[in-house]
Short mmCIF file of all heavy atoms in Angstrom, two decimals:
data_model
loop_
_atom_site.label_atom_id
_atom_site.label_comp_id
_atom_site.label_asym_id
_atom_site.label_seq_id
_atom_site.Cartn_x
_atom_site.Cartn_y
_atom_site.Cartn_z
N ASP A 88 20.27 -0.92 12.53
CA ASP A 88 20.95 -1.66 11.45
C ASP A 88 20.07 -2.79 10.93
O ASP A 88 20.14 -3.16 9.76
CB ASP A 88 22.29 -2.25 11.95
CG ASP A 88 23.33 -1.16 12.12
OD1 ASP A 88 23.10 -0.04 11.62
OD2 ASP A 88 24.37 -1.42 12.78
N PHE A 89 19.26 -3.35 11.83
CA PHE A 89 18.38 -4.45 11.41
C PHE A 89 17.25 -3.95 10.51
O PHE A 89 16.93 -4.57 9.49
CB PHE A 89 17.80 -5.16 12.64
CG PHE A 89 16.82 -6.24 12.27
CD1 PHE A 89 17.24 -7.44 11.73
CD2 PHE A 89 15.45 -6.03 12.45
CE1 PHE A 89 16.34 -8.43 11.36
CE2 PHE A 89 14.53 -7.00 12.08
CZ PHE A 89 14.97 -8.20 11.54
N THR A 90 16.63 -2.81 10.87
CA THR A 90 15.45 -2.36 10.11
C THR A 90 15.81 -1.62 8.82
O THR A 90 15.03 -1.60 7.88
CB THR A 90 14.56 -1.43 10.97
OG1 THR A 90 15.34 -0.32 11.43
CG2 THR A 90 13.97 -2.16 12.16
N GLU A 91 17.02 -1.04 8.77
CA GLU A 91 17.41 -0.19 7.64
C GLU A 91 17.24 -0.87 6.26
O GLU A 91 16.61 -0.30 5.37
CB GLU A 91 18.85 0.31 7.86
CG GLU A 91 19.23 1.52 7.03
CD GLU A 91 18.24 2.68 7.13
OE1 GLU A 91 17.76 2.97 8.24
OE2 GLU A 91 17.92 3.26 6.06
N PRO A 92 17.80 -2.08 6.06
CA PRO A 92 17.64 -2.69 4.72
C PRO A 92 16.19 -2.97 4.36
O PRO A 92 15.81 -2.88 3.17
CB PRO A 92 18.41 -4.02 4.83
CG PRO A 92 19.03 -4.07 6.16
CD PRO A 92 18.65 -2.87 6.96
N PHE A 93 15.35 -3.27 5.34
CA PHE A 93 13.94 -3.53 5.03
C PHE A 93 13.22 -2.24 4.66
O PHE A 93 12.32 -2.24 3.82
CB PHE A 93 13.24 -4.23 6.20
CG PHE A 93 13.81 -5.59 6.48
CD1 PHE A 93 14.40 -5.87 7.69
CD2 PHE A 93 13.79 -6.58 5.50
CE1 PHE A 93 14.95 -7.12 7.93
CE2 PHE A 93 14.33 -7.83 5.72
CZ PHE A 93 14.92 -8.10 6.95
N LYS A 94 13.63 -1.14 5.29
CA LYS A 94 13.06 0.16 4.92
C LYS A 94 13.43 0.47 3.48
O LYS A 94 12.58 0.88 2.68
CB LYS A 94 13.67 1.28 5.80
CG LYS A 94 12.89 1.57 7.05
CD LYS A 94 13.46 2.78 7.75
CE LYS A 94 13.59 2.49 9.23
NZ LYS A 94 14.31 3.51 9.99
N ARG A 95 14.71 0.27 3.15
CA ARG A 95 15.18 0.58 1.80
C ARG A 95 14.41 -0.28 0.78
O ARG A 95 13.95 0.21 -0.23
CB ARG A 95 16.68 0.33 1.70
CG ARG A 95 17.35 1.27 0.73
CD ARG A 95 18.87 1.10 0.69
NE ARG A 95 19.50 0.86 1.97
CZ ARG A 95 20.21 -0.23 2.27
NH1 ARG A 95 20.36 -1.19 1.38
NH2 ARG A 95 20.76 -0.36 3.47
N ALA A 96 14.29 -1.58 1.09
CA ALA A 96 13.58 -2.49 0.18
C ALA A 96 12.13 -2.05 0.01
O ALA A 96 11.58 -2.11 -1.09
CB ALA A 96 13.64 -3.91 0.73
N PHE A 97 11.53 -1.58 1.09
CA PHE A 97 10.14 -1.13 1.02
C PHE A 97 9.99 0.02 0.02
O PHE A 97 9.09 0.01 -0.83
CB PHE A 97 9.66 -0.71 2.41
CG PHE A 97 8.28 -0.14 2.42
CD1 PHE A 97 7.18 -0.95 2.15
CD2 PHE A 97 8.06 1.20 2.67
CE1 PHE A 97 5.89 -0.43 2.14
CE2 PHE A 97 6.78 1.72 2.67
CZ PHE A 97 5.70 0.91 2.40
N PHE A 98 10.89 0.98 0.08
CA PHE A 98 10.80 2.12 -0.84
C PHE A 98 11.07 1.69 -2.28
O PHE A 98 10.44 2.20 -3.20
CB PHE A 98 11.73 3.25 -0.40
CG PHE A 98 11.21 3.95 0.83
CD1 PHE A 98 11.88 3.88 2.03
CD2 PHE A 98 10.02 4.64 0.78
CE1 PHE A 98 11.38 4.51 3.17
CE2 PHE A 98 9.50 5.27 1.90
CZ PHE A 98 10.19 5.20 3.10
N GLU A 99 11.97 0.74 -2.47
CA GLU A 99 12.20 0.22 -3.82
C GLU A 99 10.93 -0.46 -4.35
O GLU A 99 10.56 -0.30 -5.51
CB GLU A 99 13.34 -0.80 -3.82
CG GLU A 99 14.73 -0.18 -3.74
CD GLU A 99 15.82 -1.21 -3.46
OE1 GLU A 99 15.55 -2.44 -3.61
OE2 GLU A 99 16.91 -0.79 -3.08
N ASP A 100 10.29 -1.22 -3.47
CA ASP A 100 9.07 -1.92 -3.88
C ASP A 100 7.96 -0.93 -4.26
O ASP A 100 7.21 -1.16 -5.21
CB ASP A 100 8.58 -2.86 -2.77
CG ASP A 100 9.49 -4.08 -2.61
OD1 ASP A 100 10.41 -4.24 -3.44
OD2 ASP A 100 9.28 -4.87 -1.67
N LEU A 101 7.86 0.16 -3.49
CA LEU A 101 6.84 1.18 -3.82
C LEU A 101 7.09 1.71 -5.22
O LEU A 101 6.16 1.91 -6.01
CB LEU A 101 6.91 2.34 -2.82
CG LEU A 101 6.47 2.09 -1.39
CD1 LEU A 101 6.52 3.40 -0.60
CD2 LEU A 101 5.07 1.51 -1.31
N GLU A 102 8.37 1.92 -5.52
CA GLU A 102 8.77 2.42 -6.85
C GLU A 102 8.36 1.41 -7.93
O GLU A 102 7.75 1.78 -8.93
CB GLU A 102 10.30 2.58 -6.83
CG GLU A 102 10.86 3.50 -7.86
CD GLU A 102 10.72 4.96 -7.45
OE1 GLU A 102 10.63 5.28 -6.24
OE2 GLU A 102 10.67 5.76 -8.36
N THR A 103 8.69 0.15 -7.69
CA THR A 103 8.38 -0.91 -8.67
C THR A 103 6.88 -0.94 -8.95
O THR A 103 6.45 -1.17 -10.07
CB THR A 103 8.83 -2.28 -8.11
OG1 THR A 103 10.21 -2.20 -7.77
CG2 THR A 103 8.64 -3.39 -9.13
N LEU A 104 6.08 -0.73 -7.90
CA LEU A 104 4.63 -0.82 -8.04
C LEU A 104 3.98 0.51 -8.40
O LEU A 104 2.76 0.61 -8.47
CB LEU A 104 4.02 -1.37 -6.75
CG LEU A 104 4.33 -2.84 -6.49
CD1 LEU A 104 3.89 -3.23 -5.08
CD2 LEU A 104 3.65 -3.73 -7.51
N ARG A 105 4.82 1.53 -8.62
CA ARG A 105 4.33 2.85 -9.03
C ARG A 105 3.40 3.47 -8.00
O ARG A 105 2.44 4.17 -8.34
CB ARG A 105 3.61 2.77 -10.38
CG ARG A 105 4.46 2.08 -11.44
CD ARG A 105 3.67 1.81 -12.67
NE ARG A 105 4.53 1.32 -13.74
CZ ARG A 105 4.25 1.39 -15.02
NH1 ARG A 105 3.13 1.94 -15.41
NH2 ARG A 105 5.07 0.91 -15.92
N ILE A 106 3.64 3.17 -6.74
CA ILE A 106 2.84 3.76 -5.67
C ILE A 106 3.43 5.13 -5.36
O ILE A 106 4.63 5.26 -5.11
CB ILE A 106 2.86 2.85 -4.42
CG1 ILE A 106 2.16 1.53 -4.76
CG2 ILE A 106 2.21 3.54 -3.23
CD1 ILE A 106 2.28 0.47 -3.69
N LYS A 107 2.55 6.14 -5.39
CA LYS A 107 3.03 7.50 -5.15
C LYS A 107 3.63 7.61 -3.76
O LYS A 107 3.09 7.06 -2.81
CB LYS A 107 1.85 8.49 -5.24
CG LYS A 107 1.48 8.87 -6.64
CD LYS A 107 0.46 9.98 -6.62
CE LYS A 107 1.17 11.32 -6.72
NZ LYS A 107 0.30 12.37 -7.27
N ARG A 108 4.69 8.39 -3.68
CA ARG A 108 5.29 8.62 -2.38
C ARG A 108 4.34 9.42 -1.49
O ARG A 108 3.73 10.39 -1.95
CB ARG A 108 6.58 9.43 -2.54
CG ARG A 108 7.72 8.62 -3.09
CD ARG A 108 8.40 7.90 -1.95
NE ARG A 108 9.56 7.15 -2.39
CZ ARG A 108 10.73 7.19 -1.77
NH1 ARG A 108 10.91 7.96 -0.73
NH2 ARG A 108 11.72 6.45 -2.18
N ALA A 109 4.24 9.03 -0.22
CA ALA A 109 3.50 9.85 0.74
C ALA A 109 4.30 11.13 0.98
O ALA A 109 5.48 11.21 0.63
CB ALA A 109 3.33 9.08 2.04
N ASN A 110 3.66 12.13 1.58
CA ASN A 110 4.38 13.37 1.87
C ASN A 110 5.38 13.16 3.00
O ASN A 110 6.43 13.78 3.04
CB ASN A 110 3.40 14.47 2.27
CG ASN A 110 2.44 14.77 1.15
OD1 ASN A 110 1.53 14.00 0.90
ND2 ASN A 110 2.67 15.86 0.44
N GLU A 111 5.03 12.27 3.92
CA GLU A 111 5.93 12.00 5.04
C GLU A 111 5.89 10.53 5.43
O GLU A 111 4.84 9.91 5.34
CB GLU A 111 5.54 12.83 6.27
CG GLU A 111 6.10 14.22 6.26
CD GLU A 111 5.04 15.28 6.54
OE1 GLU A 111 3.88 15.09 6.16
OE2 GLU A 111 5.39 16.28 7.15
N TYR A 112 7.05 10.04 5.84
CA TYR A 112 7.15 8.67 6.36
C TYR A 112 7.77 8.72 7.76
O TYR A 112 8.95 8.44 7.92
CB TYR A 112 8.03 7.82 5.45
CG TYR A 112 7.40 7.49 4.13
CD1 TYR A 112 7.72 8.21 2.99
CD2 TYR A 112 6.48 6.44 4.01
CE1 TYR A 112 7.13 7.91 1.76
CE2 TYR A 112 5.90 6.14 2.80
CZ TYR A 112 6.23 6.88 1.67
OH TYR A 112 5.65 6.58 0.47
N PRO A 113 7.00 9.09 8.75
CA PRO A 113 7.58 9.18 10.09
C PRO A 113 7.95 7.80 10.64
O PRO A 113 7.25 6.82 10.36
CB PRO A 113 6.45 9.80 10.92
CG PRO A 113 5.20 9.43 10.19
CD PRO A 113 5.57 9.41 8.73
N GLY A 114 9.03 7.74 11.36
CA GLY A 114 9.45 6.49 12.01
C GLY A 114 9.18 6.59 13.51
O GLY A 114 9.42 7.64 14.12
N ALA A 115 8.68 5.51 14.07
CA ALA A 115 8.27 5.53 15.48
C ALA A 115 9.40 5.89 16.43
O ALA A 115 9.17 6.45 17.50
CB ALA A 115 7.67 4.18 15.86
N THR A 116 10.64 5.58 16.05
CA THR A 116 11.75 5.80 17.00
C THR A 116 12.36 7.19 16.87
O THR A 116 13.34 7.50 17.55
CB THR A 116 12.86 4.75 16.79
OG1 THR A 116 13.31 4.83 15.43
CG2 THR A 116 12.35 3.35 17.07
N GLU A 117 11.79 8.05 16.02
CA GLU A 117 12.34 9.41 15.92
C GLU A 117 11.97 10.19 17.19
O GLU A 117 10.82 10.13 17.65
CB GLU A 117 11.77 10.13 14.68
CG GLU A 117 12.32 9.57 13.37
CD GLU A 117 11.57 10.10 12.15
OE1 GLU A 117 11.24 11.30 12.13
OE2 GLU A 117 11.30 9.31 11.23
N PRO A 118 12.93 10.94 17.73
CA PRO A 118 12.72 11.61 19.03
C PRO A 118 11.46 12.45 19.10
O PRO A 118 10.76 12.43 20.12
CB PRO A 118 13.97 12.48 19.19
CG PRO A 118 15.01 11.80 18.35
CD PRO A 118 14.29 11.13 17.22
N ARG A 119 11.13 13.19 18.03
CA ARG A 119 9.96 14.09 18.15
C ARG A 119 8.67 13.29 18.34
O ARG A 119 7.75 13.75 19.01
CB ARG A 119 9.85 15.04 16.95
CG ARG A 119 9.35 14.42 15.67
CD ARG A 119 9.36 15.42 14.51
NE ARG A 119 8.20 16.31 14.49
CZ ARG A 119 7.68 16.78 13.35
NH1 ARG A 119 8.19 16.44 12.18
NH2 ARG A 119 6.65 17.60 13.38
N TYR A 120 8.60 12.11 17.75
CA TYR A 120 7.37 11.31 17.91
C TYR A 120 7.35 10.59 19.26
O TYR A 120 6.30 10.46 19.88
CB TYR A 120 7.21 10.33 16.75
CG TYR A 120 7.22 11.04 15.43
CD1 TYR A 120 8.20 10.78 14.49
CD2 TYR A 120 6.28 12.04 15.17
CE1 TYR A 120 8.24 11.48 13.29
CE2 TYR A 120 6.32 12.75 13.98
CZ TYR A 120 7.30 12.47 13.04
OH TYR A 120 7.33 13.18 11.86
N LEU A 121 8.53 10.15 19.71
CA LEU A 121 8.58 9.55 21.05
C LEU A 121 8.15 10.58 22.10
O LEU A 121 7.40 10.26 23.03
CB LEU A 121 10.00 9.05 21.35
CG LEU A 121 10.34 7.70 20.70
CD1 LEU A 121 11.84 7.49 20.66
CD2 LEU A 121 9.65 6.56 21.44
N ALA A 122 8.59 11.81 21.90
CA ALA A 122 8.21 12.88 22.85
C ALA A 122 6.69 13.06 22.84
O ALA A 122 6.06 13.21 23.89
CB ALA A 122 8.92 14.18 22.49
N ARG A 123 6.11 13.05 21.66
CA ARG A 123 4.66 13.23 21.54
C ARG A 123 3.91 12.05 22.18
O ARG A 123 2.88 12.24 22.82
CB ARG A 123 4.30 13.38 20.05
CG ARG A 123 2.82 13.36 19.74
CD ARG A 123 2.11 14.63 20.14
NE ARG A 123 0.68 14.57 19.78
CZ ARG A 123 -0.28 15.22 20.41
NH1 ARG A 123 0.01 16.00 21.43
NH2 ARG A 123 -1.52 15.12 20.02
N MET A 124 4.45 10.83 21.99
CA MET A 124 3.80 9.65 22.59
C MET A 124 3.79 9.79 24.11
O MET A 124 2.77 9.56 24.76
CB MET A 124 4.56 8.37 22.20
CG MET A 124 4.44 8.02 20.73
SD MET A 124 5.50 6.60 20.33
CE MET A 124 6.04 7.06 18.69
N ILE A 125 4.93 10.20 24.67
CA ILE A 125 5.03 10.34 26.13
C ILE A 125 4.06 11.42 26.62
O ILE A 125 3.36 11.26 27.61
CB ILE A 125 6.49 10.62 26.53
CG1 ILE A 125 7.31 9.33 26.33
CG2 ILE A 125 6.60 11.13 27.97
CD1 ILE A 125 8.80 9.48 26.48
N GLU A 126 3.99 12.51 25.85
CA GLU A 126 3.08 13.61 26.19
C GLU A 126 1.61 13.12 26.18
O GLU A 126 0.83 13.40 27.10
CB GLU A 126 3.28 14.71 25.16
CG GLU A 126 2.45 15.95 25.33
CD GLU A 126 2.62 16.88 24.11
OE1 GLU A 126 2.12 16.54 23.01
OE2 GLU A 126 3.26 17.92 24.26
N MET A 127 1.27 12.35 25.17
CA MET A 127 -0.11 11.85 25.07
C MET A 127 -0.44 10.88 26.19
O MET A 127 -1.53 10.93 26.78
CB MET A 127 -0.34 11.16 23.72
CG MET A 127 -0.38 12.12 22.54
SD MET A 127 -0.71 11.26 20.97
CE MET A 127 -2.52 11.25 20.95
#
Side-chain angles (χ1 to χ4, degrees):
D88 287 346
F89 176 73
T90 57
E91 199 51 42
F93 296 118
K94 269 187 226 172
R95 212 176 321 120
F97 176 68
F98 288 114
E99 283 169 15
D100 288 354
L101 291 184
E102 201 80 25
T103 305
L104 290 171
R105 307 171 173 203
I106 295 172
K107 279 188 93 156
R108 285 275 183 133
N110 299 74
E111 276 130 328
Y112 289 99
T116 57
E117 290 169 40
R119 75 184 279 212
Y120 304 118
L121 281 162
R123 171 73 178 153
M124 292 174 216
I125 288 172
E126 181 188 71
M127 288 182 88

